[in-house]
Amino acid sequence: MNATVEVASDGQIFVAWRDPDRPVFIARSTNNGQSWTSPSAVGSDAVFNFPALAAGPNGAMALAYTIGESDRLVIYAGAWNGSTFATARITPLSGDFADPTLTYDTAGTLYVAYRGVDSSGSSSGVWVATNQGAGQWQINRIVGPGAVYGTVNIEGDTSGNLHLQWNANVGAGQRVYYSVRPSGATAFVNPIDAPNDAGIIFNSRMSTTVSDAAYAHVAGEL
């Protein structure tokens, strides 16, 4: 259940999923899906909700997921090393964090976005972890404190922009929020929201494209 699929730039297909009370499993195909490797577990801890995959330059592939550790919800992430995903915890044990997505930029830097589970306080809000090599991560809270619901979606486009989207409860109800870090910039711009007077929006997802400009497209449930 909770399966996700991603195709690497070298054509390898990766599928990741979870079984109830089991670790995340992966399978891989090198022949356009005609055959698959046997499923293999990443780690030994039970995974919550969807795992996430992201493809990067030169065949790179990365995985992120949520597990329980020391009575906390924590985020693990890491890259494919040719035989498995070398994942490690990227969030502290001082709070609960969940529902990651991840992306590479055009330079090959890996980013993981996730939310704080708390509705207030120092662990709440929208977070982005930037990989700095050798298992080192720079952690930044982009928005907070405050309640965030569901998956925080991050995606890099072909022009080097980073797009970030999430759901938060403001005004008339739970809305879509969006921010972008333009190519060459070091910070995300102030978020904007999509006005909504019809109800609660949830379970949103985002995809990006570049044509005459850079676009982020968001779909959600109402």
Side-chain angles (χ1 to χ4, degrees):
M1 60 190 303
N2 295 138
T4 185
V5 62
E6 189 67 71
V7 181
S9 62
D10 61 6
Q12 292 190 82
I13 308 170
F14 290 78
V15 176
W17 70 94
R18 74 173 185 93
D19 293 332
D21 302 319
R22 300 290 303 279
V24 60
F25 284 87
I26 61 161
R28 183 170 49 94
S29 175
T30 59
N31 56 9
N32 297 319
Q34 297 180 56
S35 61
W36 294 84
T37 62
S38 298
S40 60
V42 179
S44 58
D45 296 289
V47 171
F48 298 93
N49 299 337
F50 278 88
L53 290 167
N58 303 313
M61 183 67 63
L63 172 72
Y65 51 88
T66 307
I67 67 169
E69 182 177 320
S70 300
D71 294 324
R72 292 292 191 182
L73 289 175
V74 296
I75 306 298
Y76 270 64
W80 178 252
N81 63 14
S83 58
T84 189
F85 285 96
T87 63
R89 177 167 53 84
I90 65 174
T91 56
L93 294 173
S94 56
D96 293 298
F97 304 93
D99 298 323
T101 62
L102 67 171
T103 193
Y104 285 91
D105 65 14
T106 52
T109 300
L110 177 62
Y111 302 84
V112 181
Y114 51 92
R115 68 181 178 92
V117 174
D118 291 342
S119 59
S120 61
S122 60
S123 297
S124 64
V126 172
W127 298 81
V128 173
T130 305
N131 184 252
Q132 299 183 310
Q136 301 297 311
W137 296 85
Q138 176 182 318
I139 308 296
N140 295 102
R141 183 161 67 173
I142 308 303
V143 174
V148 177
Y149 303 95
T151 302
V152 176
N153 299 293
I154 191 169
E155 186 168 334
D157 66 30
T158 56
S159 291
N161 307 297
L162 281 181
H163 305 260
L164 191 65
Q165 182 272 317
W166 64 96
N167 296 128
N169 190 13
V170 173
Q174 198 165 299
R175 298 182 179 181
V176 167
Y177 273 77
Y178 168 81
S179 182
V180 64
R181 195 190 78 179
S183 179
T186 58
F188 285 88
V189 303
N190 289 333
I192 60 172
D193 68 298
N196 168 44
D197 58 4
I200 294 173
I201 296 177
F202 58 98
N203 286 345
S204 58
R205 295 293 186 269
M206 177 180 66
S207 187
T208 63
T209 187
V210 176
S211 54
D212 60 315
Y215 294 93
H217 308 278
V218 179
E221 296 183 53
L222 178 63

